[in-house]
């Protein structure tokens, strides 16, 4: 991956292949912002009229590349639109950084001279650049895009301790997001439960994270009827990966649970062809919690993390679970299966039950759980459901600070009745009514968290981008929720999770 560094050099004299600057449009007046100002000054009075002639209005997302013709030392100036000066925030910096670095081709090094005010801004620029430069070319002879080897962040405060730390954090977080993206993008044939478990175990990290893999026999011993019930239709047996990061004096303890369906065909309740096309992404929750756990450990955050990734392949076959079957879950509850395509809640239920055996302050699960959530919130916003009012309010705020849109959805009282309305078992797995599918699924999960404080994040929309790349979000796997989980740990270290 591209390396990130920070320097207090001048954008006019720095020797890189390209310099990216930001231009704002405040009441129709264009002006280079922050360190980019010196580049505008070097070009002189013709700079703004030249941008206007190029049709550049400094709208967010807009970009123009100019030959610098020896006006500054670097041969190319990339100008990115920042919109109104007053609208600048971390998210616009992330996007601008990504759009700037992506506009440069055939370069070894790029300087990013965007306006930053302090460490948090520098972190946003660094994150945006590394996230924007992501490409998945494991299956190509020739890489589809060429990326610069070095990205240099230009800021006057380059020597400040907190700015240096911000660059390290940006790098760690972006690497974690990109790791999750790699796993999501890997086709299901190369990421069976076994292979995914091996990839998690083999992940190179200097940080101390204990990893254990429970195979199907061990899962049977533990009575994990949900995970085994989903996995039994496949020739690739299920696994559960547990990770533990235990720092010396933890200020909080998080239990993270991620849905890890390595392929979701729907099982006997088979999906349509187009409906299963992208279902290699159904392990995005597991990828997120694992990548976030490694990042939290690498950052050395004083938060204990216990993570659980139940991994199974949901396939139809002569051994598959049938609609109408009853499963006995790890918790002891029995579940009547109505639709084998509602498999995520079954594997999560067993893993949530394990998580209740820790002394975690909060349990967070992340899952590509319901198409209904995409209908409700679109493809870029995750749904947040919880049994704890305070957490429910806090989590979307934390996600917002991490740059990930999330929105609260309720678990209405009626869903409790529906979940417990099975004719023959304790719980029913699926609500035949086509309404409120996300809410029903959350009500089902809630049955397995006992009295623990719990948040459920449904990332069915944002986990996988079927459309064109935008900002720092690529096509395919996005690494959704990784940044939120790392941010949650950072804020938990500062007491954000304390009840009441
Ligand atoms: N993995 C899917 C949900 C999904 C849909 C994720 C679209 C990403 C994009 C999940 O297992 C599923 O199939 N859910 C069903 C539930 C239904 C049968 C109650 C759905 O949403 O249709
Ligand atoms: Mn499904
Ligand atoms: Zn699924």
């Amino acid at each position: 991956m591209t390396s990130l560094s920070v320097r207090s050099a001048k954008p006019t004299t720095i020797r890189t292949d390209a310099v990216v600057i930001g231009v704002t449009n405040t009441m129709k007046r264009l002006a280079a912002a922050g360190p980019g100002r010196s580049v505008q000054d070097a070009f002189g009075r013709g700079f703004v009229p030249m941008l206007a002639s190029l049709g550049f209005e400094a709208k967010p997302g807009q970009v123009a590349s100019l030959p610098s013709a020896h006006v500054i030392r670097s041969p190319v100036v990339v100008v990115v639109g920042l919109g109104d000066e007053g609208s600048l925030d971390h998210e616009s910096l992330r996007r601008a950084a990504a759009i700037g670095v992506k506009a440069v081709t055939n370069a070894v090094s790029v300087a990013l001279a965007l306006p930053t005010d302090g460490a948090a801004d520098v972190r946003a620029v660094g994150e945006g650049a590394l996230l924007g430069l992501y490409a998945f070319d494991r299956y190509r002879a020739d890489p589809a895009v060429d990326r610069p080897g070095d990205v240099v962040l230009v800021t006057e405060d380059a020597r400040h301790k907190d700015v240096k730390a911000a660059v390290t954090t940006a790098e760690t977080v972006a690497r974690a997001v990109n790791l999750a993206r790699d796993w999501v993008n890997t086709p299901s044939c190369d990421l069976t439960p076994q292979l995914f478990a091996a990839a998690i175990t083999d992940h190179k990290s200097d940080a101390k994270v204990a990893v254990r893999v429970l195979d199907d026999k061990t899962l049977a011993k533990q009575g994990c009827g949900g995970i085994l019930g989903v996995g039994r239709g496949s020739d690739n047996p299920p696994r559960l990966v547990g990770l533990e990061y235990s720092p010396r004096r933890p200020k909080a303890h998080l239990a993270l649970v991620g849905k890890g369906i390595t392929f979701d065909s729907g099982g006997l309740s088979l999906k349509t062809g187009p409906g299963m096309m992208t279902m290699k992404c159904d392990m995005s929750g597991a990828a997120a919690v694992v990548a976030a756990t490694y990042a939290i450990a690498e950052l050395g955050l004083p938060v204990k993390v216990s993570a659980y990734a139940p991994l199974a392949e949901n396939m139809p076959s002569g051994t598959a679970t049938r609609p109408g079957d009853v499963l006995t879950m790890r918790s002891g509850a029995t579940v009547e299966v109505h639709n084998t395509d509602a498999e995520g809640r079954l594997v999560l239920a067993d893993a949530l039950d394990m998580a209740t055996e820790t002394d975690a302050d909060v349990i967070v699960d992340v899952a590509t759980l319901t198409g209904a959530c995409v209908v409700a919130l679109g493809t870029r916003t995750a749904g947040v459901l919880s049994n704890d009012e305070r957490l429910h309010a806090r989590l979307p705020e934390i996600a917002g600070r991490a740059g990930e849109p999330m929105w609260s959805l309720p678990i209405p009282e009626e869903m409790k009745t529906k979940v417990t309305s099975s004719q023959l078992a304790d719980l029913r797995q699926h609500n035949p009514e086509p309404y409120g599918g996300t809410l029903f699924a959350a009500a089902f999960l809630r049955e397995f968290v006992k009295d623990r404080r719990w948040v459920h994040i449904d990332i069915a929309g944002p986990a996988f981008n079927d459309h064109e790349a935008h900002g720092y979000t690529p096509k395919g796997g996005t690494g959704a929720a990784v940044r939120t989980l790392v941010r949650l740990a950072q804020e938990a270290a500062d007491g954000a999770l304390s009840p009441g």
Side-chain angles (χ1 to χ4, degrees):
M1 197 165 85
T2 305
S3 80
L4 200 62
S5 59
V6 59
R7 296 227 301 262
S8 55
K10 286 202 184 74
T12 48
T13 54
I14 196 167
R15 265 180 210 281
T16 46
D17 296 317
V19 175
V20 177
I21 65 169
V23 172
T24 55
N25 178 343
T26 310
M27 299 202 289
K28 302 228 162 137
R29 283 200 48 188
L30 301 197
R37 188 74 212 179
S38 63
V39 175
Q40 174 173 352
D41 292 344
F43 273 86
R45 285 207 310 218
F47 187 69
V48 169
M50 169 173 67
L51 293 180
S53 307
L54 291 168
F56 184 85
E57 298 165 77
K59 284 184 187 152
Q62 232 183 353
V63 62
S65 299
L66 323 168
S68 77
H70 302 291
V71 171
I72 67 167
R73 193 167 278 167
S74 290
V76 174
V77 178
V78 176
V79 183
V80 292
L82 296 176
D84 191 285
E85 203 184 345
S87 70
L88 266 183
D89 58 12
H90 292 152
E91 184 60 7
S92 51
L93 285 174
R94 278 186 207 99
R95 290 185 190 167
I99 288 161
V101 292
K102 283 200 288 183
V104 180
T105 50
N106 198 30
V108 173
S109 58
V110 177
L112 273 174
L114 292 170
T116 54
D117 184 12
D121 283 358
V122 173
R123 174 176 166 185
V125 172
E127 270 182 18
L130 294 182
L131 293 175
L133 288 170
Y134 175 80
F136 184 69
D137 33 35
R138 203 177 125 186
Y139 292 87
R140 288 183 201 276
D142 302 310
V145 288
D146 69 319
R147 340 175 178 68
D150 301 309
V151 169
V152 184
L153 308 180
V154 176
T155 162
E156 282 174 11
D157 324 318
R159 273 180 214 94
H160 289 199
K161 244 204 196 135
D162 54 341
V163 167
K164 286 193 175 153
V167 174
T168 311
T169 304
E171 225 170 349
T172 306
V173 170
R175 276 186 212 286
V177 174
N178 289 343
L179 172 67
R181 290 172 173 180
D182 275 350
W183 280 333
V184 174
N185 287 328
T186 302
S188 304
C189 57
D190 288 335
L191 204 87
T192 60
Q194 252 173 311
L195 292 171
F196 192 11
I200 293 169
T201 312
D202 294 347
H203 175 68
K204 300 243 174 333
S205 166
D206 300 331
K208 288 196 186 72
V209 176
V211 185
R212 75 203 153 104
V213 178
L214 309 190
D215 64 11
D216 42 326
K217 286 200 190 76
T218 314
L219 291 170
K221 264 186 222 145
Q222 290 207 15
C224 294
I227 299 170
L228 293 166
V230 172
R232 57 181 286 172
S234 171
D235 289 343
N236 300 307
R239 295 285 183 268
L240 183 135
V241 183
L243 290 87
E244 189 139 288
Y245 164 59
S246 219
R248 211 169 282 260
R249 263 180 233 92
K251 299 232 171 70
H253 181 181
L254 288 175
L256 307 179
V257 175
K259 172 177 172 182
I261 300 298
T262 60
F263 184 71
D264 183 12
S265 72
L268 287 174
S269 313
L270 197 63
K271 286 183 184 297
T272 61
M276 71 175 86
M277 188 55 229
T278 59
M279 280 302 134
K280 67 175 182 182
C281 82
D282 216 16
M283 34 55 71
S284 295
V289 304
V290 171
T293 302
Y294 280 126
I296 291 164
E298 277 155 28
L299 293 170
L301 298 180
V303 174
K304 180 170 172 176
V305 180
S306 309
Y308 302 85
L311 312 179
E313 188 178 43
N314 188 22
M315 296 293 257
S317 78
T319 58
T321 292
R322 313 155 191 83
D325 282 359
V326 171
L327 304 173
T328 301
M329 311 295 277
R330 187 179 189 277
S331 72
T334 56
V335 172
E336 183 184 4
V337 174
H338 282 244
N339 186 322
T340 62
D341 196 12
E343 81 298 335
R345 62 199 70 178
L346 298 173
V347 301
L348 288 171
D350 285 342
L352 286 169
D353 183 64
M354 282 183 202
T356 63
E357 288 168 5
T358 68
D359 61 1
D361 306 301
V362 172
I363 302 175
V364 184
D365 81 70
V366 183
T368 46
L369 204 63
T370 63
C373 199
V374 193
V375 174
L377 299 176
T379 55
R380 296 192 188 179
T381 304
V384 176
L385 302 97
S386 178
N387 62 357
D388 182 279
E389 224 175 284
R390 200 176 141 89
L391 266 180
H392 197 202
R394 278 290 167 85
L395 202 104
E397 294 169 3
I398 293 169
R401 287 192 278 276
E404 298 195 286
M406 297 200 182
W407 200 256
S408 294
L409 295 171
I411 310 180
E413 208 180 276
E414 69 197 278
M415 292 299 165
K416 169 81 184 177
T417 331
K418 293 186 197 294
V419 163
T420 50
S421 70
S422 167
Q423 293 296 310
L424 67 160
D426 300 328
L427 300 170
R428 67 180 289 157
Q429 166 240 19
H430 170 245
N431 179 12
E433 292 169 31
Y435 310 117
T438 308
L439 323 181
F440 178 92
F444 180 88
L445 295 178
R446 185 177 57 185
E447 294 296 317
F448 296 88
V449 298
K450 308 208 169 92
D451 55 354
R452 311 307 289 273
R453 297 167 71 212
W454 155 80
V455 205
H456 161 60
I457 308 177
D458 193 330
I459 56 167
F464 198 84
N465 178 19
D466 286 329
H467 305 98
E468 287 307 308
H470 57 90
Y472 53 83
T473 306
K475 271 189 164 187
T478 62
V482 172
R483 287 180 292 144
T484 296
L485 294 175
V486 175
R487 180 96 203 183
L488 174 68
Q490 283 175 327
E491 297 197 16
D494 299 333
L497 296 187
S498 52

